Amino acid sequence: NILLLSQIKLPPMMEIITAEQLMEYLGDYILDAKPKEISEIQRLNYEQNMSDAMAILHKLQTGLDVNVKFTGVRVFEYTPECIVFDLLDIPLYHGWLVDPQVADIVKAVGNCSYNQLVEKIISCKQSDNSELVSEGFVAEQFLNNTATQLTYHGLCELTSAVQEGELCVFFRNNHFSTMTKYKGQLYLLVTDQGFLTEEKVVWESLHNVDGDGNFCDSEFHLRPPSDPETVYRGQQDQIDQDYLMALSLQQEQQNQEINWEQIPEGISDLELAKKLQEEEDRRASQYYQEQEQAAAQVQVQGAASPASGRQSGSNERKRKEPREKEREKEKNSCVLL
């Protein structure tokens, strides 16, 4: 979206583009963006980064692996995926920061990334040292209290760091959003499918951590949705799709995690195939049991108290299975807003 707003031009009247076409456009742009007058060392380094970026470009269809650190809005643990942002010269921000005035949280979190902090919490809770146990509890409370992945200190730092008119990427809740700054106020590009029929709604202000911003048009004039109920249903459908995609990726990862150390040496191909099939059957059975339990829980909750309001409706919808054709369509194409 950032490149469409600044660099890449698509054919006129194109409303739908497949994921494969989109990857081709990005790949061509990376190749064309290669600097012309650079030294031999810089050229080799750029070509290596370009090769690494091309290797992970397909991950843009499902999600990139970024790991925030809680000390700065531009501070992320280095991963190969970060090369894509560097090559495209796109700034990447987040707002999940620790308030430096809260000393106990600063000490508990330290310079850890999110993944490191989770590991630290587990280690501290298993320790016999009461001070470490307390530190782990403080860190865990911080993650729980900032589950929206945005703090007010982070929001202030974001507002200060982002330049006026800058187009950048904002990472929050495992999502990437296009962000800009207009007259000192941060705005996120509206991309939820609930806004497909809202041609005048383009931006949403980011002025608090609760996510209830004001909608604006392309000129940043206030523009409330014409049909809030339709928008809400579309937003919930988007949440459903994100939830199902996350489940799919989790299942795919679990299927790949075979403990080869437990397989005895000298085993025949037939015996190995049987063991792998047994493991796959076990995981499939476990998955369907979890789905049945989740469905039963939804039915019990629905019978006890019918859904009234956004929160309960969201929980119920997250457990609904989409039709296969719709899911395949959403996976392979996207609508340009």
Side-chain angles (χ1 to χ4, degrees):
N1 286 329
I2 287 178
L3 295 177
L4 285 173
L5 291 172
S6 58
Q7 305 290 338
I8 295 180
K9 301 297 182 183
L10 297 181
M13 306 304 293
M14 176 181 282
E15 296 183 353
I16 296 178
I17 183 171
T18 65
E20 290 75 13
Q21 290 174 316
L22 193 58
M23 293 304 103
E24 290 180 6
Y25 275 103
L26 289 175
D28 291 341
Y29 179 79
I30 291 177
L31 292 174
D32 293 339
K34 180 180 177 180
K36 299 298 185 292
E37 298 181 0
I38 55 177
S39 66
E40 181 66 16
I41 295 178
Q42 290 175 325
R43 183 184 65 81
L44 293 175
N45 183 58
Y46 185 89
E47 289 179 352
Q48 180 61 52
N49 289 340
M50 187 168 59
S51 176
D52 294 340
M54 290 294 188
I56 59 95
L57 204 59
H58 67 281
K59 292 185 179 180
L60 287 171
Q61 301 180 49
T62 54
L64 296 179
D65 178 22
V66 297
N67 191 17
V68 305
K69 288 193 173 184
F70 307 96
T71 54
V73 294
R74 292 293 304 272
V75 184
F76 293 83
E77 183 181 63
Y78 176 79
T79 58
E81 286 82 351
C82 294
I83 297 176
V84 175
F85 296 97
D86 294 337
L87 282 178
L88 298 176
D89 196 24
I90 295 177
L92 177 62
Y93 292 92
H94 74 91
W96 200 1
L97 301 188
V98 171
D99 190 337
Q101 297 182 355
V102 186
D104 58 338
I105 299 181
V106 171
K107 180 182 177 182
V109 175
N111 193 40
C112 292
S113 66
Y114 172 77
N115 291 343
Q116 292 170 339
L117 187 60
V118 171
E119 294 175 359
K120 178 180 178 179
I121 291 172
I122 296 174
S123 176
C124 287
K125 292 173 72 173
Q126 296 174 347
S127 174
D128 295 330
N129 188 322
S130 59
E131 184 176 346
L132 288 178
V133 173
S134 176
E135 195 170 298
F137 176 76
V138 170
E140 187 175 34
Q141 285 295 107
F142 166 74
L143 293 183
N144 292 336
N145 294 337
T146 59
T148 61
Q149 298 185 7
L150 177 65
T151 64
Y152 278 106
H153 173 67
L155 185 57
C156 291
E157 291 294 306
L158 270 175
T159 305
S160 175
V162 178
Q163 301 299 310
E164 183 73 15
E166 178 182 3
L167 285 171
C168 54
V169 170
F170 177 56
F171 178 76
R172 181 187 184 188
N173 289 333
N174 301 322
H175 278 72
F176 297 94
S177 301
T178 300
M179 182 168 66
T180 192
K181 186 177 182 180
Y182 179 76
K183 292 186 177 180
Q185 173 65 55
L186 297 176
Y187 292 89
L188 302 177
L189 187 67
V190 175
T191 56
D192 284 347
Q193 65 179 18
F195 292 88
L196 284 176
T197 59
E198 300 288 337
E199 297 181 359
K200 300 296 184 180
V201 177
V202 180
W203 299 98
E204 181 181 7
S205 63
L206 179 65
H207 59 264
N208 59 43
V209 300
D210 299 322
D212 52 348
N214 299 318
F215 296 108
C216 305
D217 60 17
S218 59
E219 302 297 326
F220 299 97
H221 299 141
L222 287 178
R223 183 73 65 172
S226 57
D227 188 356
E229 181 60 27
T230 300
V231 169
Y232 166 64
R233 287 198 301 269
Q235 287 176 313
Q236 291 305 317
D237 290 341
Q238 186 73 48
I239 292 174
D240 294 346
Q241 293 173 14
D242 294 340
Y243 176 73
L244 291 171
M245 175 62 76
L247 277 181
S248 176
L249 293 175
Q250 182 180 4
Q251 285 298 118
E252 181 179 347
Q253 182 180 9
Q254 290 176 351
N255 292 338
Q256 294 174 352
E257 293 175 352
I258 303 296
N259 191 345
W260 297 99
E261 295 180 357
Q262 296 182 357
I263 297 178
E265 296 182 2
I267 187 172
S268 68
D269 292 343
L270 178 59
E271 292 173 330
L272 175 59
K274 288 182 178 180
K275 284 185 175 294
L276 293 177
Q277 185 61 50
E278 290 173 358
E279 178 66 15
E280 183 69 22
D281 292 342
R282 182 188 67 79
R283 286 174 174 165
S285 176
Q286 180 181 357
Y287 172 74
Y288 287 118
Q289 288 178 3
E290 291 174 354
Q291 295 302 302
E292 291 176 358
Q293 292 174 358
Q297 184 178 1
V298 170
Q299 292 177 358
V300 171
Q301 291 176 346
S305 56
S308 59
R310 298 183 61 167
Q311 183 174 359
S312 58
S314 173
N315 290 335
E316 181 178 358
R317 292 188 185 94
K318 284 185 178 180
R319 295 179 174 86
K320 290 183 179 178
E321 294 289 342
R323 293 189 297 272
E324 289 298 326
K325 290 184 179 178
E326 293 182 355
R327 182 176 179 185
E328 186 66 24
K329 179 180 177 182
E330 293 294 337
K331 181 179 179 182
N332 293 327
S333 64
C334 57
V335 178
L336 300 180
L337 298 180

